[in-house]
Amino acid sequence: MYMRTFLRSFSVVCLLVTVAVAQVSAEEAPMLKIGIIGLDTSHSPAFAKGFNAVPADPEMQNCRVVAAYPYGSKTIESSSSRIPGYTKQFEEMGIEIVDSVADLISKVDCVLLETNDGQVHLEQAEQVIKAGKPLFIDKPVAADLPDVLTIFALAKEHDVPMFSSSSLRYIDGAQAVRNGDAGKVLSCDTYSPCKTEPSHSDLYWYGIHGVEALYTCMGTGCETVTRTSTDDFDMVVGKWDEGRIGTFRGLRAGKNGYGGTAFTSEKIVPIGSYQGYRPLLVEIAKFFRTGESPVPEAETIELYAFMKAAEESKRQGGKPVAIATVMKQAKEAAAAAKK
């Protein structure tokens, strides 16, 4: 009994020491000045408030948004109409508003590319990458797969740290499944809202959230994709290696929400629901500090290829489409665009 009490007390002391050391390390770290490109999405003020909170979040110490460039979409009205209001919010937070991406880059150490419109991501990301600034790109990486490939290739060519992720990747349950807590993942079903935007590959616009959760649990290895689509719903079925199956249900009618179920070698596990932006912001802060992406490049590229294959399956009336086929086509398109 005394030994159990001792061990319990010792464990508590160790935990307190670990927390204290982490807090001291964060407090001693130099200030990281963060810039935001794009004030056309609710993510921008939410992320700025998270990083600039007083008192600071212990896991985001000395990471502060200091400047922002408002644009942003100039063609998608539902996005561009938000820019004046969010610009005012940033000014009220004491964050400097600048006139160009180049001006922003000159004032910061790292960049959050938040522009809601993926059509301009390549142009904006290229400026950041060529300046050598670590870059987080919010969803979507780009409006279509060739630009996704080009952006990742640019980051590799210039040896610039970059990653992209939906906050749905960091649902506790999904992370537990990914870490193997429930055994080997044999199948997974996820769902999320799935609004579309004509200028984007349709699942890139909002279905990305549910697909990100799916890939968090399943990992890479999808071979073919089949999609059934109506005005109100999508059902996308991916056939992975070893006969594993992953599905995504996109919702455009009825009750919306985020979640899913993983089927593993040991149990059936609900992956949980949306938990806010903080878990993602903590990962972004770590990324900016270390330059190490928490998400493998190959996984992010494949999940965008999955969504492109789903679009092609819809175009073909629900026929299975190979991931390898859409990747080949996208690489050829990206190469042609460079000429």
Side-chain angles (χ1 to χ4, degrees):
M1 177 179 176
Y2 294 114
M3 180 58 71
R4 285 200 302 270
T5 302
F6 170 77
L7 291 174
R8 191 178 300 115
S9 300
F10 182 73
S11 297
V12 171
V13 169
C14 288
L15 177 61
L16 292 173
V17 169
T18 301
V19 171
V21 169
Q23 288 178 335
V24 169
S25 299
E27 290 168 1
E28 291 178 349
M31 176 66 71
L32 271 180
K33 294 179 289 184
I34 301 171
I36 288 182
I37 298 174
L39 302 185
D40 60 348
T41 167
S42 60
H43 289 194
S44 296
F47 285 18
K49 289 172 184 175
F51 279 115
N52 292 13
V54 179
D57 187 305
E59 295 189 83
M60 291 182 271
Q61 289 274 3
N62 293 335
C63 296
R64 188 167 184 84
V65 176
V66 299
Y69 171 62
Y71 299 96
S73 180
K74 296 183 180 180
T75 60
I76 301 173
E77 194 279 334
S78 62
S79 295
S80 61
S81 62
R82 301 177 179 185
I83 293 174
Y86 289 149
T87 299
K88 183 178 180 181
Q89 285 188 36
F90 270 65
E91 290 171 336
E92 290 171 348
M93 285 189 277
I95 297 170
E96 182 180 1
I97 303 299
V98 300
D99 294 328
S100 67
V101 172
D103 193 11
L104 180 90
I105 290 169
S106 71
K107 298 174 182 291
V108 301
D109 303 307
C110 41
V111 174
L112 298 168
L113 203 172
E114 295 297 321
T115 301
N116 211 25
D117 185 352
Q119 297 174 100
V120 296
H121 278 192
L122 175 55
E123 174 194 345
Q124 294 179 331
E126 183 173 15
Q127 296 177 69
V128 178
I129 289 167
K130 288 185 175 180
K133 307 288 185 176
L135 174 64
F136 171 80
I137 302 183
D138 210 337
K139 64 87 184 167
V141 172
D144 207 348
L145 188 56
D147 277 5
V148 172
L149 298 182
T150 300
I151 290 170
F152 274 102
L154 275 169
K156 183 175 289 187
E157 177 187 346
H158 293 274
D159 196 26
V160 172
M162 187 192 89
F163 97 98
S164 178
S165 176
S166 159
S167 56
L168 272 293
R169 176 172 287 270
Y170 295 103
I171 297 171
D172 286 344
Q175 285 294 307
V177 169
R178 185 180 182 87
N179 293 336
D181 293 2
K184 181 178 179 179
V185 180
L186 306 177
S187 184
C188 184
D189 303 331
T190 64
Y191 60 86
S192 78
C194 192
K195 293 178 291 186
T196 60
E197 160 53 42
S199 61
H200 288 59
S201 287
D202 47 13
L203 298 186
Y204 284 25
W205 187 248
Y206 220 85
I208 173 64
H209 292 304
V211 176
E212 187 95 47
L214 178 65
Y215 263 83
T216 302
C217 296
M218 294 290 291
T220 56
C222 185
E223 297 168 349
T224 62
V225 179
T226 305
R227 177 178 175 186
T228 300
S229 184
T230 68
D231 289 344
D232 293 336
F233 301 101
D234 279 300
M235 174 56 74
V236 184
V237 180
K239 179 174 163 293
W240 262 253
D241 50 11
E242 300 180 345
R244 299 184 301 141
I245 298 290
T247 69
F248 163 67
R249 182 183 294 272
L251 310 173
R252 287 184 291 276
K255 175 67 174 176
N256 276 334
Y258 304 88
T261 304
F263 302 84
T264 79
S265 57
E266 298 178 11
K267 54 182 77 171
I268 297 175
V269 189
I271 66 171
S273 58
Y274 174 60
Q275 295 175 259
Y277 297 126
R278 183 184 180 276
L280 175 59
L281 296 184
V282 168
E283 292 300 321
I284 293 172
K286 291 178 186 175
F287 163 70
F288 283 156
R289 289 280 181 212
T290 65
E292 297 178 5
S293 172
V295 184
E297 172 187 317
E299 184 169 323
T300 299
I301 289 174
E302 186 181 303
L303 72 87
Y304 277 85
F306 174 97
M307 293 187 286
K308 184 64 176 178
E311 183 174 74
E312 183 62 19
S313 175
K314 176 184 176 181
R315 191 185 70 80
Q316 294 184 25
K319 292 181 179 180
V321 173
I323 292 281
T325 299
V326 297
M327 281 294 294
K328 180 176 182 293
Q329 293 169 345
K331 287 176 181 177
E332 291 172 351
K338 289 181 68 175
K339 294 179 180 179

